[in-house]
Amino acid sequence: MTRVEEVLAGMDATRAWQEELYRDLHAHPELSSHEVRTSAEVADRLTAFRYDVRRVGGGVVGVLANGPGQTVLARADMDALPVTELTDLPYASKVTAVDESGGTVGVSHACGHDVHVTCLLGAAAALAGAREAWSGTFIALFQPAEETGAGARGMVDDGLTDKIPRPDVAFAQHVLGHEAGVVGTQAGPALSAGDSVRIAVHGKGSHGSMPHLGVDPVVLAASIVLRLQTIVARETRPGEFAVVTVGSSTAGTKSNIIPDRAVLLVNIRTYDETVRQRVIAGIERIVRAECLASGSPAPPTFEYYDQFPLTDNDAEVTAKVSGAFRSHFGESRVIELGRVTASEDFSRLPDAFGTPYTYWGLGGFGPGQPLYPNHSPYFAPTLQPTLTAGTEALIVATLAYLGQAA
Ligand code: ZN
Ligand code: ZN
């Protein structure tokens, strides 16, 4: 038996409780930074698997020291989304919550973080149950609030680097709209850096019939929205990647009132820090110039929020893990992920330690099952082979580093 086979020998028993746990987590989703029930469940299980369990910044970390060797960290995110689930699954979420604006929203695992938690607990159990098959330290890290970009930073700010051993390598995975049973790897930039900015520009209020007595922020905002399109079209080198989206533009209340301000919400995605800085500088330059052009009475303000770092997979780690995946899953089940324009905050965790990492995609949809993107109210990965493949992927990647006798 290989090391991987030794660890996977107990998977039949694991699979049964994993499916039950998954349905339970799916039916009990919790919004970002409110993962109370989920983190308690995770901590209880890790304790039962005899991990040394620590609470850090709203997350839960289980450390299993198993002799000399390297240290591997695997991470799962725990939070759900303010999305009302529209699937007809027997375990569909019926949970509602009050959001930040005071309204009632449906809550569901529309991004599949319940898959991630279930797979990592399965891998943690399998590794704990076959200690003789490997040597080193395994860290199972469950983080809150990925969707808001606050969770990984919160754990780092709470002293993560002082509270757990420094990992030599770190992994994370995400269930995506690929075929279930497949894993997708990608060296280098895999997920984009994401930035949001709230831009307020000032006008001078007036009667709608007397525009000459005011400064119209609606026209100003409209000019900005159009001019911002030139950052990608005219200022970014063809072939270089950047997205600039104005997702919201608000001003005014009535047709016959010229308001005194407008607010734009702009989203930015990039794969390269130089490009990112250039795009941000371009946005600020254009906004300031348009304000000047319109005679705006006060300078604009820029408030950056929901910022996600670049996910830049280490080439060596990715090659080693991809090779281990190919020998375990077979060539046909390991695909090239390609660059994904979505963003993640996972990389803040390994970056805090200066640890190389790789982040891979996990297929979640059976043949003939309609493919819905993450965050869709219909997003519902098939239980199997998704859970088993995700669990095996974590074990196989971990044993690529810890599977040798020390
Ligand atoms: Zn998401
Ligand atoms: Zn997600």
Side-chain angles (χ1 to χ4, degrees), residues 186-237:
Q186 170 78 28
L191 303 176
S192 69
D195 294 272
S196 288
V197 54
R198 181 180 288 105
I199 302 170
V201 294
H202 303 278
K204 192 171 148 207
S206 180
H207 195 283
S209 68
M210 303 168 202
H212 59 293
L213 298 180
V215 172
D216 190 341
V218 176
V219 175
L220 166 57
S223 297
I224 291 170
V225 171
L226 287 180
R227 182 94 200 189
L228 287 180
Q229 310 309 313
T230 64
I231 292 176
V232 174
R234 303 289 82 187
E235 297 184 23
T236 303
R237 195 174 66 219

Side-chain angles (χ1 to χ4, degrees), residues 175-191:
V175 62
L176 298 170
H178 300 285
E179 194 185 326
V182 157
V183 289
T185 61
Q186 170 78 28
L191 303 176

Side-chain angles (χ1 to χ4, degrees), residues 340-359:
V340 180
T341 54
S343 304
E344 251 284 354
D345 71 345
F346 157 68
S347 66
R348 289 194 205 284
L349 300 168
D351 283 351
F353 292 96
T355 292
Y357 60 85
T358 196
Y359 182 100

Side-chain angles (χ1 to χ4, degrees), residues 81 111 113 146-147 174 374-375:
L81 284 163
C111 205
H113 297 183
E146 184 280 326
E147 295 290 353
H174 207 300
N374 297 67
H375 294 201

Side-chain angles (χ1 to χ4, degrees), residues 31 82 97-105:
L31 288 176
V98 176
D99 69 5
E100 285 157 19
S101 57
T104 300
V105 291

Side-chain angles (χ1 to χ4, degrees), residues 4 23 42 71 86 107 123 213 236 274 287 302 323 341 372 388 390 394:
V4 171
R23 290 192 197 94
V42 165
T71 298
L86 295 179
V107 182
L213 298 180
T236 303
T274 313
V287 171
F302 302 89
T341 54
Y372 291 103
T388 298
L394 290 166

Side-chain angles (χ1 to χ4, degrees), residues 262-295:
V263 175
L264 301 173
L265 302 183
V266 181
N267 192 260
I268 305 156
R269 305 285 168 141
T270 51
Y271 288 131
D272 181 284
E273 182 59 23
T274 313
V275 175
R276 176 175 171 269
Q277 292 296 343
R278 208 194 307 131
V279 167
I280 289 172
I283 289 171
E284 295 200 6
R285 186 193 76 240
I286 285 169
V287 171
R288 289 184 208 287
E290 290 291 347
C291 286
L292 189 67
S294 68

